[in-house]
Each structure stands twice: as structure tokens, then as C-alpha cells.
Amino acid sequence: MGTVLSLGPIPAECPPRRPVPAPNAARMDNHYLGGKDTYAADRALADRVVELAPVVPSLARAGRAFLRASARRLAGAGLRQFLDVGCGLPLPGERLDEIVRRVDPRSRVAYTDRDPMVVCHARALLAVEAGTSAAQADLREPVRLLHHPEVRRVIDPDAPTAVFLVNVLPFVTDADEPCTIMRELLEALPPGSHVVLCHPVRTPALDAAAALCREADVAFVPRDEERIAGLLRGWETLPAQPSDDDESALPLLRRVGRKAA
């Protein structure tokens, strides 16, 4: 995997450490990717998930590959503002701002996550980057997320934006109405905006892993392919493009949608 991200000391403005935190989806994902920004509880649950569903680390890697390929594609097509929702703890070289600024250094990037510790680490890492921000915001309130001051600081609400939802909607339960979330997001974005969606497809093994996660109070909801595709209702789906991986047989739906003018 190469060099892994080292966050160093927690900045003073971060919430104080608490004894033995509960497992966290963002840190578990970091573990699947080979990162070190985890606690024992994260690693223990993640390893149990992999015992039930060995494909999960491949899903995490394929999601990052799709993010890379889609980011380069959209930046190459002229988009200059990007929003990474549920940004988590990516490895070095995997951050969205690093990828799109290789295409155009003027690109502006906003990161959001509902986990305050993830956001705090993101702010510490990005503090020196102009045109980059990190905000604590929840996808379940998409309009509020888009109007967060830290998002608005770098994202012009009247200009097309590429929104990345890479393996994030599985952590939104059906009770939170993901179709409504996606419809509100579509309505709130200006024409020409894009959404990059990556979502695991249900299999018996992933259903077993989801049940284990629920027992640990970690949301994880793989869905049928038809239901995932329905999340993009109203979006114009772009033709598929190859990503950085060759794992097309994985139970993972990858789509890019565009809001028509």
C-alpha cells in the first residue's frame, strides 16, 4: 500500500480523547485500506466483518479507485469545484484535492463528514491549503450540508459542483430515506452538477456483515442493485468509464450522474 497517513498529535481544538471509543465506520474503512488511523475496537470489528465477507477490503479499494478515475474525468471536463461527502480518512495521495489539483491547481474542494474527529483531522491536514475546507455536516440533511459556511467558503452555490458519495450511502439507513436525500440534493444543486455514486450490492455475505455491524451500533446497509440505481432517479446517468481497478465483477454499483440544464 505504500506510506500510510500519519495524523500526528491531535490538534488542541479537537475533542479530548475518550477511553476506548466505539467502532467507527470511517476508521474501519481506513483499516480495510491498510491505514493506521484506527483504534483496537475498529480493527476488531473490521476483522470480524472480513471473516464474514472477505470482499469488503476489495470494495473499499475499488471505491477509492472509482473516486480517482471519476475525479480526473470530471476535472478534465472542466469542473473546478468538488465536494467529498463522508470523506473519512483516506491514505496519502488519495485525497480528492490532491487528485483534482493535478489536473488544475485552481480546483476548490470541500470535505464533509458527520464524525467530528474525522473533520478535526481533516482540518489539521488541510490547514495550509487554499481553496480547501472541511465541515462537520450530515448527508441526511443535504440542503443544510450544502449551505454550511465552510462549504460555501470554497463552493459557489451557483456553479456546477461534483459531489462524491463513495461508499457513504450504505451508512444511511432506510429509515433516513436515502431516495429523499438524493432528490433534495438534486434539487439543491445547480444544472451541470454531477454526483459520483459508489454503493455495495447485497450478497448473503454482505448481509451477514451488515447484521454484525448493527449489533455493534455501526450502520451498514448493502442494497439491491435496482434500489441503488433508483437513488439516481432524476439524474442523467453518464456512460461508464474504466477506473483504476479491474474488479468489475465486485458487488459494487458505480455510477456518475449529471443534473441536466
Side-chain angles (χ1 to χ4, degrees):
M1 294 294 296
T3 303
V4 296
L5 179 65
S6 177
L7 296 177
I10 294 179
E13 68 271 17
C14 286
R17 286 186 184 273
R18 292 177 172 81
V20 192
N24 169 277
R27 295 191 300 264
M28 289 171 65
D29 190 65
N30 182 264
H31 181 61
Y32 298 140
L33 293 169
K36 303 299 181 184
D37 298 305
T38 61
Y39 294 114
D42 307 310
R43 298 189 294 273
L45 180 58
D47 289 344
R48 291 179 64 198
V49 165
V50 173
E51 289 176 3
L52 292 172
V55 74
V56 167
S58 294
L59 298 181
R61 290 191 296 269
R64 297 308 302 181
F66 188 59
L67 180 146
R68 290 193 300 268
S70 300
R72 289 195 296 264
R73 177 187 180 188
L74 295 176
L79 271 76
R80 291 295 174 262
Q81 49 185 30
F82 303 84
L83 174 59
D84 190 350
V85 178
C87 60
L89 298 165
L91 303 184
E94 295 278 325
R95 294 200 321 258
L96 184 56
D97 64 296
E98 296 173 302
I99 297 164
V100 297
R101 286 186 181 134
R102 294 186 192 115
V103 178
D104 190 325
R106 299 169 297 176
S107 297
R108 301 183 304 281
V109 182
Y111 292 94
T112 73
D113 204 288
R114 67 185 184 187
D115 185 322
M117 187 63 74
V118 169
V119 174
C120 188
H121 284 319
R123 286 175 178 159
L125 287 169
L126 303 169
V128 299
E129 296 286 351
T132 311
S133 69
Q136 184 180 349
D138 196 326
L139 175 60
R140 293 173 294 183
E141 299 178 290
V143 176
R144 188 173 180 180
L145 182 152
L146 291 172
H147 286 84
H148 191 289
E150 277 298 295
V151 174
R152 292 288 292 269
R153 183 169 64 82
V154 299
I155 300 294
D156 177 356
D158 297 320
T161 301
V163 181
F164 287 76
L165 303 175
V166 175
N167 290 337
V168 174
L169 282 165
F171 303 105
V172 175
T173 67
D174 290 339
D176 292 315
E177 300 183 4
C179 285
T180 299
I181 290 170
M182 293 299 292
R183 185 179 67 249
E184 292 178 356
L185 182 65
L186 173 67
E187 292 172 351
L189 289 167
S193 293
H194 292 64
V195 62
V196 176
L197 177 69
C198 189
H199 196 305
V201 178
R202 284 186 67 190
T203 66
L206 289 178
D207 283 346
L212 175 64
C213 288
R214 284 195 300 272
E215 292 176 3
D217 200 27
V218 175
F220 176 54
V221 187
R223 294 182 168 94
D224 294 334
E225 187 168 342
E226 182 178 354
R227 293 190 65 195
I228 302 168
L231 297 174
L232 285 173
R233 188 171 291 112
W235 298 84
E236 177 189 354
T237 304
L238 301 185
Q241 294 286 322
S243 63
D244 290 351
D245 69 348
D246 57 358
E247 298 172 310
S248 58
L250 287 173
L252 190 69
L253 191 74
R254 288 161 275 194
R255 295 287 187 273
V256 177
R258 176 173 58 198
K259 181 173 181 177

